[in-house]
mmCIF file of all heavy atoms in Angstrom:
data_model
loop_
_atom_site.group_PDB
_atom_site.id
_atom_site.type_symbol
_atom_site.label_atom_id
_atom_site.label_comp_id
_atom_site.label_asym_id
_atom_site.label_seq_id
_atom_site.Cartn_x
_atom_site.Cartn_y
_atom_site.Cartn_z
ATOM 1 N N ILE X 342 15.436 7.461 -11.398
ATOM 2 C CA ILE X 342 15.784 6.030 -11.091
ATOM 3 C C ILE X 342 14.470 5.325 -10.661
ATOM 4 O O ILE X 342 14.151 4.234 -11.075
ATOM 5 C CB ILE X 342 16.865 5.970 -10.021
ATOM 6 C CG1 ILE X 342 18.168 6.382 -10.593
ATOM 7 C CG2 ILE X 342 16.994 4.486 -9.505
ATOM 8 C CD1 ILE X 342 19.231 6.506 -9.610
ATOM 9 N N SER X 404 9.153 24.044 -18.595
ATOM 10 C CA SER X 404 7.851 24.343 -18.259
ATOM 11 C C SER X 404 6.820 23.800 -19.328
ATOM 12 O O SER X 404 5.756 23.311 -19.002
ATOM 13 C CB SER X 404 7.670 25.859 -18.130
ATOM 14 O OG SER X 404 8.219 26.347 -16.940
ATOM 15 N N LYS X 526 3.198 34.093 -19.339
ATOM 16 C CA LYS X 526 2.026 34.718 -18.780
ATOM 17 C C LYS X 526 1.891 34.380 -17.329
ATOM 18 O O LYS X 526 2.345 33.358 -16.854
ATOM 19 C CB LYS X 526 0.745 34.301 -19.534
ATOM 20 C CG LYS X 526 0.789 34.728 -21.011
ATOM 21 C CD LYS X 526 -0.570 34.410 -21.732
ATOM 22 C CE LYS X 526 -0.511 34.833 -23.155
ATOM 23 N NZ LYS X 526 -1.758 34.506 -23.804
#
Side-chain angles (χ1 to χ4, degrees):
I342 291 171
S404 290
K526 295 184 179 180

